[in-house]
Every structure is written in C-alpha cells, then in structure tokens.
Amino acid sequence: MADKADSTVKNTTITIKDEGAIRYLTLNRPDKLNAMNQVLDDELSAALSAADQDSDVSVIVIAGEGRAFSAGADLSDMGESPSSRDIADSINHSIGFYQQMVSLNTPMIAAVHGYALGGGCNLAISCDMVVAADNAVFGYPEVKLGMAAAGVSPTLVHQIGRKAAFELLVLCENINAEKALEFGMINRVVAPDKLLDTAAEIAQQLASYDHDALWLTKQLIRRCADMPLPSALELGRDIGLAAGMYK
Ligand code: COA
C-alpha cells in the first residue's frame, strides 16, 4: 500500500491529505476567503463521499487555507435576477449537500479560523465537533443581503434551537468564538497557532478507538437528536444489541 501518511491530493479547490487514519480536507480558494462556488461544492461533496467510503479513514478534519475558514456562498455566482429554475437548482443543491453531511458515518471535525459565514458557518456546524481559533467570526448574512436563509436554517435551528437561531439568522450580526461556544455551535476555543494541532489531537484520539464503536455511536447521536426520548431509548437498545455489546 502506498504510504498514506505522505499522500496529498490537490483538486482545484480542495487539498486532500491523509495522516494515518485522519483525512484532512482543506478548502483552498484563499484569494476568495474560500467562498463556496460550484466547483468547490462539487469537489468537497466528492471528497466527503470518498472519505466516508474509505475504510482506512476513521476521522475527517475540515479546515480552510488562508485567512478564513469560508466566507460562504460565492456571491459572484448569484445573478442579478435569477430565474425560478436557477433558484430551485440552487436550493436543491444546498439542501442536498446538508443531507449528505448528515448521512456521513465518519466523524468530522471542523477547524475554524477567521470568517465562517453563511454556508461556511453551516459547513462548520454540520461537523460533529468544531474547534475554533479565538479570531473566528461566525454569522449568517443572508437575510441582510435580501436572501431567505433557506439552505442553512434547518441545520442551525436543529443545532442551537429557535431563539439563538433567530438571533443569528434574522438579526444578522456576526458573533465571535466565545459567543458561538455559548450558543453551543462549537466545542473548543483555542489560540490560532494551536488550531490545527488541537483538531489533530482530537482526531487522533477518536481514531485510536474501536472503529465500529465510534461509528455506531456517531449514528446513534445523530438519530437520537431528532427523536422523542422513548424512541431514542429504543434505538439505543437496538443499536447496542445489533453491535453485540451484551454478548
Ligand atoms: N463570495 C465571493 N467572493 C468573496 C466572498 C463571497 N462570499 N467573500 C469574500 N470574497 C472575496 C472578495 O470579493 C475579495 O476578492 P477580490 O480580492 O478579488 O476582490 C476577497 O474574497 C477578499 O475579501 P475582502 O472583502 O477583500 O476581505 P475583507 O477582509 O475586507 O472582508 C468579509 C471579509 C468576509 C467581511 C467580506 O469579504 C464579505 O463580506 N464577504 C461576503 C460574505 C457573505 O456575504 N457571504 C455570503 C453568505 S450567503
């Protein structure tokens, strides 16, 4: 087998690198603050699928090259007066991406620094854990720009509840990492020069655990979050029994 520790693949907009069982996906449009255009969306989606299907990958880390994680959807892709068809394509594309994110089995960690706006913020919070540099800025400018925050709202409301989501989505004021921590959007705040090391340490810790135990627990957390407690408890029993934990 080729030495995966040294393998780095560079697409147009994503750098893919393996270190042991950890796959690093780095958004790589630094000149545009990693704004998410069609190419980046497609390459990221393909890279996530490939990582999820690779049995040598236990954890995915997503980061951004340059001075931001991602400044969100590429505004230059948006025409002055898009047709209904363009709007439908765009929203289907966006929802499809978040559906893919929730369906992935591999634990994902986002390492966020600088701006994480709109779709960039949603990409981060769609990961299972978020480590943020203390210079990170989170926000949803969509409504302020005259756009319904249609693609991003479902994930945010599920993650942080109605009141906090309303504040972010409708007040449209950016928040810092401490406030994002308070809202439950992220897990850790660290100095910028510790960001990638901290994400790597967490990823290594996860990668050292039993693969099935890790993946099944991730599935359980994801599915329980959307269920009433009695059903969630039943699911816990089913998954535990299926995994043979009572053998
Ligand atoms: N779409 C397309 N290009 C973007 C972008 C986006 N969402 N965000 C930043 N860029 C580009 C800028 O146009 C600029 O490109 P240029 O150098 O070719 O002119 C480059 O990235 C750097 O951005 P700049 O605005 O010069 O950096 P800044 O530090 O002064 O400001 C932001 C940073 C994030 C405050 C500002 O870029 C911004 O408001 N971006 C838009 C954020 C947004 O609304 N996202 C969409 C959510 S739906």
Side-chain angles (χ1 to χ4, degrees):
M1 188 176 85
D3 182 3
K4 295 192 81 173
D6 295 324
S7 65
T8 301
V9 178
K10 205 166 173 185
N11 288 328
T12 321
T13 61
I14 308 275
T15 304
I16 303 169
K17 185 175 182 345
D18 284 335
E19 279 180 19
I22 304 166
R23 178 151 301 171
Y24 291 87
L25 304 180
T26 304
L27 313 184
N28 192 22
R29 288 187 83 206
D31 295 349
K32 299 293 177 186
L33 305 185
N34 299 317
M36 302 168 87
N37 63 2
Q38 188 70 50
V39 179
L40 189 151
D41 285 354
D42 290 347
E43 289 188 350
L44 179 59
S45 176
L48 286 167
S49 287
D52 204 45
Q53 284 159 24
D54 188 335
S55 56
D56 290 336
V57 175
S58 295
V59 185
I60 299 168
V61 175
I62 303 178
E65 189 65 48
R67 64 185 173 94
F69 179 76
S70 170
D74 191 316
L75 295 172
S76 60
D77 278 355
M78 297 172 194
E80 283 289 300
S81 45
S83 66
S84 309
R85 180 59 190 267
D86 289 341
I87 293 170
D89 284 350
S90 165
I91 189 64
N92 281 325
H93 180 78
S94 175
I95 296 292
F97 178 74
Y98 298 117
Q99 285 170 331
Q100 178 191 11
M101 287 293 281
V102 292
S103 74
L104 295 173
N105 290 312
T106 314
M108 291 177 285
I109 300 168
V112 178
H113 72 292
Y115 290 103
L117 301 179
C121 188
N122 239 47
L123 171 63
I125 66 161
S126 296
C127 292
D128 300 294
M129 286 187 73
V130 185
V131 182
D134 59 19
N135 65 8
V137 175
F138 298 87
Y140 289 89
E142 285 86 343
V143 168
K144 197 166 57 179
L145 297 172
M147 296 184 273
V152 291
S153 296
T155 306
L156 188 69
V157 172
H158 264 260
Q159 297 252 345
I160 66 172
R162 285 172 57 178
K163 288 286 185 293
F166 188 92
E167 186 172 332
L168 274 166
L169 292 165
V170 181
L171 211 53
C172 297
E173 287 175 358
N174 292 342
I175 59 171
N176 63 19
E178 286 301 334
K179 186 75 181 171
L181 189 64
E182 193 185 301
F183 275 164
M185 297 164 69
I186 67 174
N187 301 84
R188 305 262 196 287
V189 182
V190 298
D193 63 344
K194 297 277 186 290
L195 178 67
L196 291 176
D197 285 349
T198 307
E201 276 164 24
I202 295 170
Q204 279 155 10
Q205 187 178 345
L206 297 185
S208 73
Y209 297 150
D210 178 84
H211 193 272
D212 289 344
L214 183 64
W215 283 32
L216 285 170
T217 304
K218 166 170 170 156
Q219 271 185 39
L220 189 58
I221 292 168
R222 180 185 75 214
R223 293 171 64 189
C224 284
D226 302 329
M227 280 182 175
L229 182 56
S231 312
L233 288 167
E234 290 299 330
L235 179 66
R237 177 177 22 218
D238 292 348
I239 287 190
L241 289 171
M245 69 178 282
Y246 299 121
K247 266 196 273 180

